[in-house]
């Protein structure tokens, strides 16, 4: 049974890499197009929120592209794991401070408590997804 699951997962590993890379590139570009939206979720204790938003945007673009290139895939995936850990405080801040987002469509401006809390374990899923690409091909079950 485990071998069947591993084989099935291995089939999706290559195409999902493009999905993941594309998502990070788009998210990173959005940091530059609408930085004020992202600044709102930077915890107030963090210095220079605009700079952090731009830095994380650069990281998302570079690492998102990096997972698409075989030579840089594993290093970029480790970078995404670290980036996701680094931005986790923003998700906690959103879940604990009733952040109202300005500059987004009205339906997204006041995320529900359920949505902001659901983002916390979703971050774990994203970390595992990135971690998958730190593993050599064929090592899914190892």
């Amino acid at each position: 049974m485990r071998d069947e699951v591993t084989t099935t997962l291995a089939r999706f590993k290559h195409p999902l890499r493009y999905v993941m890379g594309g998502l990070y590139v788009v998210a990173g570009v959005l940091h530059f197009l609408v930085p004020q939206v992202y600044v709102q979720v930077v915890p107030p204790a963090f210095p220079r929120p605009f700079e952090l938003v731009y830095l994380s945007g650069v990281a998302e673009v570079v690492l998102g592209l990096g997972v698409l290139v075989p030579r840089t895939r594993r290093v970029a995936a480790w970078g995404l794991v670290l980036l996701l850990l680094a931005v986790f405080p923003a998700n906690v801040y959103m879940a604990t401070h009733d952040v109202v987002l300005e500059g987004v469509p009205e339906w997204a401006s006041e995320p529900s408590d359920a949505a902001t809390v659901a983002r916390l374990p979703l971050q774990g899923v994203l970390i595992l997804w990135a971690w998958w690409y730190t593993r050599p091909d064929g090592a899914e079950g190892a």
Side-chain angles (χ1 to χ4, degrees), residues 10-70:
R11 243 184 299 169
F12 291 104
K13 189 173 184 179
H14 182 75
L16 285 175
R17 176 175 42 240
Y18 294 100
V19 173
M20 183 174 72
L23 289 173
Y24 282 104
V25 169
V26 169
V29 168
L30 286 173
H31 282 65
F32 295 95
L33 297 177
V34 288
Q36 66 280 6
V37 172
Y38 292 92
V39 165
Q40 297 171 70
V41 299
V42 175
F46 285 54
R48 302 180 148 185
F50 272 97
E51 288 85 345
L52 291 174
V53 166
Y54 292 134
L55 179 63
S56 61
V58 168
E60 286 183 343
V61 170
V62 169
L63 297 171
L65 292 172
V67 296
L68 302 177
V69 178

